[in-house]
Amino acid sequence: MPADPLHSAGNRQRSTTSQPPSGSGASAIEVRRSARRRRTVSAYREGDRTVVLIPARMSEAEEKRWVTVMLKKLAAQESKRVLGDAELAERAQRLSDQYFGGRARPASVRWVTNQNTRWGSCTPAEGSIRLSHRLQGMPEYVVDYVLCHELAHLLVPGHGPRFWRLLEAYPRTERARGYLEGVVAADRLPHGPGARDE
């Protein structure tokens, strides 16, 4: 059996996969150690897992610390990144393929600025999906949830049991709904130093 080039003696590389810290937004973390890597640490998303690249001789305590640092760094970068309409449409297609077997096929997916009371809307007859601009800057799993919600409406109108069963395919449904409920609750809090209950 031929040697695995990633794990050959000249390039000692070890990989471990673990569950992420709660609240990180990632579903799994893979830490890859490399003898070639001396001091630098980097991380990127690969599907719904996060890959963290570290030097081989780093201690377990340093590894834990750097995983936490890199998860925060990635989350901060993602929260600043705004997808354009074309990227949003591509993302919707990938989500449809992944969670609905490609059956939800939107004709258009775009950001709109006139939706201040809902996160997204869909017109099944036209196959159009609109997402509120207020979602821009929120974690990707939240945007993905809203996209999945609207994609599910292309297949099942209304919010009956069949709709919710279909949406259960998206694994972060509950977390994303909790996030959005928190945003709504925070918006209802009094703002400013003079805003107090009398």
Side-chain angles (χ1 to χ4, degrees), residues 129-150:
I129 291 175
R130 295 161 301 281
L131 264 55
S132 172
H133 71 287
R134 295 178 304 140
L135 288 164
Q136 293 174 341
M138 289 189 188
E140 288 188 4
Y141 76 93
V142 175
V143 176
D144 285 354
Y145 162 72
V146 177
L147 279 171
C148 283
H149 186 107
E150 301 310 330

Side-chain angles (χ1 to χ4, degrees), residues 83-97:
L83 301 173
D85 288 348
E87 290 173 302
L88 201 59
E90 287 172 18
R91 189 176 202 97
Q93 191 54 59
R94 279 197 311 272
L95 291 166
S96 175
D97 292 344

Side-chain angles (χ1 to χ4, degrees), residues 42 108 152 166 178 183:
S42 62
S108 68
L166 187 63
V183 170

Side-chain angles (χ1 to χ4, degrees), residues 48 95 98-101 103 144-153 155-156 158-177:
D48 61 353
L95 291 166
Q98 187 172 0
Y99 298 112
F100 306 117
R103 293 179 298 134
D144 285 354
Y145 162 72
V146 177
L147 279 171
C148 283
H149 186 107
E150 301 310 330
L151 287 165
H153 277 310
L155 303 173
V156 179
H159 291 101
R162 202 166 137 243
F163 171 84
W164 292 110
R165 275 196 305 276
L166 187 63
L167 195 53
E168 283 174 1
Y170 181 64
R172 297 188 191 167
T173 291
E174 288 307 311
R175 181 186 291 206
R177 290 184 71 192

